[in-house]
Amino acid sequence: MGKGCLTATKYFLFLFNLIFFLCGVIIMGFGLWLLLDNQSFIVVLNNSTSVKVACYILIGVGAFSMLMGFLGCLGAIYEIRCLLGLYFTCLLLILIAQVAACVLIYFQKETLNDEMSKIVTKVLNNYTGNNSTTEQAWDFIQRNMECCGWTGRLDWSGNMVIVNSSQLLFPCSCQNISASTWNFSDSSFCEAQTPDWPVYDTGCSASVESWLLTNIGVVLGICLGVALIELVGMILSICLCRNVHTEDYTKVPKY
């Protein structure tokens, strides 16, 4: 490889590693958002250990990608073969892990859907109206998506507060404003005037699944972009590594 091609490869690899570093920042930020957001459906799912584990994995992958981007930039700009070889190996392992994770998620879709349904049912049955973080998130979902329960209003029939009350209680966040002439709260329980609750008839599953699919599409798009960057980075790093015959460590800054 000529000197001009070697220089171009080096700076292209530096650029791709910079992009790879930024993608790591995005992935880690997404994991932190899933873990810390208290205004979306993910708060309800955070009762699941597997969801929390997935969030921590995203954060770990993002942090590791940032580290690899930094090492790749260092190896490229100073032409250090050992760093370039380490960078290539780690990228290969990350790519294999990403493919394995995507395959696992695809074949476990039904299991994930069943677990999500069980989690929501548990939230509805244990809803007490005390405005906990999970209850606030579910009220937010029902109020903004204009839905009631998971598959419908009957999902609330297992709630112990409603079952044990002598009043005609229903969740206030389910209130269908267009079909009601009374003013109710946005959370906790409200008292109905008749056995026919003034609530939305549709369940939240369709809206929530649409929300999840939209966000999963974003995640998959990011992962696909990262995989492409990884592949290009692997090609550039191995080409540069094969053409660096002598290493000048005097160019590496000393601290």
Side-chain angles (χ1 to χ4, degrees):
M1 184 183 288
K3 187 176 179 181
C5 291
L6 189 64
T7 302
T9 302
K10 180 172 72 172
Y11 286 106
F12 267 118
L13 183 58
F14 177 83
L15 177 62
F16 274 102
N17 276 291
L18 184 61
I19 297 172
F20 189 65
F21 179 87
L22 294 176
C23 287
V25 173
I26 293 171
I27 292 173
M28 188 170 70
F30 186 77
L32 288 170
W33 171 70
L34 291 179
L35 197 63
L36 302 176
D37 182 39
N38 61 358
Q39 289 294 323
S40 68
F41 183 68
I42 204 67
V43 177
V44 179
L45 294 184
N46 272 343
N47 289 319
S48 171
T49 304
S50 58
V51 172
K52 288 184 179 179
V53 170
C55 293
Y56 288 121
I57 288 174
L58 279 174
I59 294 170
V61 168
F64 186 68
S65 299
M66 291 168 63
L67 176 63
M68 290 311 304
F70 174 75
L71 291 178
C73 286
L74 196 64
I77 206 72
Y78 294 113
E79 300 179 10
I80 304 173
R81 292 190 70 185
C82 62
L83 279 183
L84 291 171
L86 177 65
Y87 174 73
F88 174 84
T89 304
C90 290
L91 279 185
L92 181 61
L93 292 174
I94 291 173
L95 194 60
I96 293 171
Q98 285 177 342
V99 172
C102 289
V103 171
L104 184 64
I105 290 172
Y106 179 79
F107 286 106
Q108 294 293 320
K109 284 190 299 184
E110 293 300 323
T111 303
L112 292 173
N113 189 45
D114 291 341
E115 183 178 355
M116 186 169 63
S117 181
K118 290 176 183 177
I119 291 169
V120 174
T121 300
K122 184 178 179 181
V123 169
L124 298 185
N125 290 342
N126 296 331
Y127 186 98
T128 59
N130 291 327
N131 284 327
S132 66
T133 303
T134 303
E135 291 180 0
Q136 288 178 0
W138 188 249
D139 286 333
F140 177 84
I141 291 165
Q142 292 190 138
R143 188 168 56 251
N144 287 274
M145 293 185 175
E146 298 184 347
C147 54
C148 191
W150 183 240
T151 57
R153 56 190 289 181
L154 293 178
D155 290 343
W156 284 95
S157 59
N159 181 272
M160 299 310 297
V161 175
I162 294 176
V163 171
N164 295 328
S165 176
S166 58
Q167 300 172 305
L168 296 173
L169 298 182
F170 69 93
C172 297
S173 56
C174 280
Q175 177 197 1
N176 186 344
I177 300 175
S178 61
S180 177
T181 57
W182 304 283
N183 292 322
F184 295 116
S185 172
D186 288 335
S187 60
S188 190
F189 294 100
C190 296
E191 184 177 358
Q193 304 299 317
T194 65
D196 186 21
W197 295 353
V199 298
Y200 298 108
D201 293 322
T202 56
C204 299
S205 59
S207 299
V208 170
E209 285 171 9
S210 175
W211 179 89
L212 287 173
L213 286 173
T214 301
N215 286 275
I216 286 173
V218 172
V219 176
L220 291 177
I222 292 172
C223 289
L224 187 62
V226 170
L228 183 61
I229 293 170
E230 287 170 353
L231 197 58
V232 174
M234 287 169 62
I235 295 170
L236 292 175
S237 64
I238 200 65
C239 288
L240 185 59
C241 187
R242 284 170 57 88
N243 287 275
V244 173
H245 301 295
T246 57
E247 297 172 306
D248 185 5
Y249 289 101
T250 60
K251 296 188 294 183
V252 181
K254 297 179 175 62
Y255 298 99

